[in-house]
């Protein structure tokens, strides 16, 4: 068996009035939030899919189906905790993750360190093993018009030695 595995995750949600904006488990002050069955945290969702993919476990919809009322308004950072447990149960440790959020507004730069810290804590790794970056879509498309946010994540898993 190959001692390393890589997974890719992606998520996108529209911004709507009347919702809290949560990214990487951190509450961001803004007049709109991400629409989703859970809290809509695109950072956690993309990261969960990258971890699950690297393990060959499928995607978050299989573990936390949106039609299940149990997950309504769930905190995605708690769902990420569950995914990390599953990854470890399969014999894998997290080598590093790299996350790229694409958002026009609000300005996320003041929250980058807190988001990175939140993710590192849940993943159980030092902050140096968590990359978190933010970019804009340069005004192009629905993301560029500020209608939503999307996120990409890559995870490297390392097989635990017996």
């Amino acid at each position: 068996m190959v001692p390393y595995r890589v997974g890719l995750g992606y998520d996108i949600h529209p911004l709507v009035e009347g919702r809290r904006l949560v990214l990487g488990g951190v509450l961001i002050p803004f007049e709109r939030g991400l629409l989703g069955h859970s809290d809509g945290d695109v950072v956690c969702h993309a990261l969960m899919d990258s971890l699950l993919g690297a393990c060959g476990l499928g995607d978050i919809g299989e573990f936390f189906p949106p039609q299940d009322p149990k997950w309504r308004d769930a905190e995605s950072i708690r769902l990420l905790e569950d995914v990390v447990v599953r990854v470890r149960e399969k014999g894998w440790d997290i080598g590093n993750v790299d996350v790229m959020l694409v958002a026009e507004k609000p300005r996320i730069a003041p929250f980058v360190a807190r988001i990175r810290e939140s993710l590192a804590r849940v993943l159980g790794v030092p902050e140096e093993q968590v990359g978190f970056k933010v970019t804009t879509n340069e005004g192009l498309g629905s993301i560029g018009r500020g209608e939503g946010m999307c996120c990409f994540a890559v995870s490297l898993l390392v097989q635990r030695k017996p």
Side-chain angles (χ1 to χ4, degrees):
M1 183 188 292
V2 178
Y4 301 100
R5 288 194 181 172
V6 175
L8 173 66
Y10 170 80
D11 196 38
I12 185 169
H13 287 281
L15 283 162
V16 297
E17 299 286 334
R19 296 273 296 185
R20 299 176 335 137
L21 179 58
V22 180
L23 298 170
V26 174
L27 182 62
I28 310 293
F30 194 53
E31 65 268 7
R32 295 178 292 155
L34 293 165
L35 181 62
H37 185 69
S38 65
D39 61 9
D41 185 336
V42 292
V43 172
C44 285
H45 294 180
L47 190 48
M48 285 188 281
D49 268 344
S50 72
L51 291 165
L52 290 168
C55 275
L57 291 174
D59 64 36
I60 62 173
E62 294 175 43
F63 292 94
F64 315 107
Q67 61 276 18
D68 188 338
K70 175 180 180 180
W71 308 118
R72 184 106 182 109
D73 296 323
E75 292 181 41
S76 296
I77 196 80
R78 301 295 156 240
L79 304 181
L80 178 57
E81 287 175 347
D82 181 86
V83 167
V84 169
V85 168
R86 293 173 190 272
V87 166
R88 291 203 172 107
E89 286 175 346
K90 286 287 192 181
W92 296 96
D93 290 323
I94 297 167
N96 76 298
V97 300
D98 194 27
V99 180
M100 172 67 78
L101 175 67
V102 185
E104 218 65 32
K105 289 183 181 179
R107 191 164 180 276
I108 305 298
F111 304 97
V112 166
R114 284 181 47 208
I115 293 169
R116 189 171 172 227
E117 177 185 300
S118 172
L119 295 174
R121 184 175 51 254
V122 170
L123 296 172
V125 299
E127 287 182 42
E128 300 80 47
Q129 291 172 231
V130 177
F132 180 75
K133 303 172 295 294
V134 184
T135 191
T136 68
N137 227 30
E138 300 295 332
L140 298 173
S142 61
I143 302 295
R145 290 189 298 273
E147 296 171 13
M149 295 180 180
C150 70
C151 190
F152 299 87
V154 177
S155 298
L156 172 69
L157 301 182
V158 180
Q159 187 178 34
R160 191 174 313 113
K161 295 194 176 29

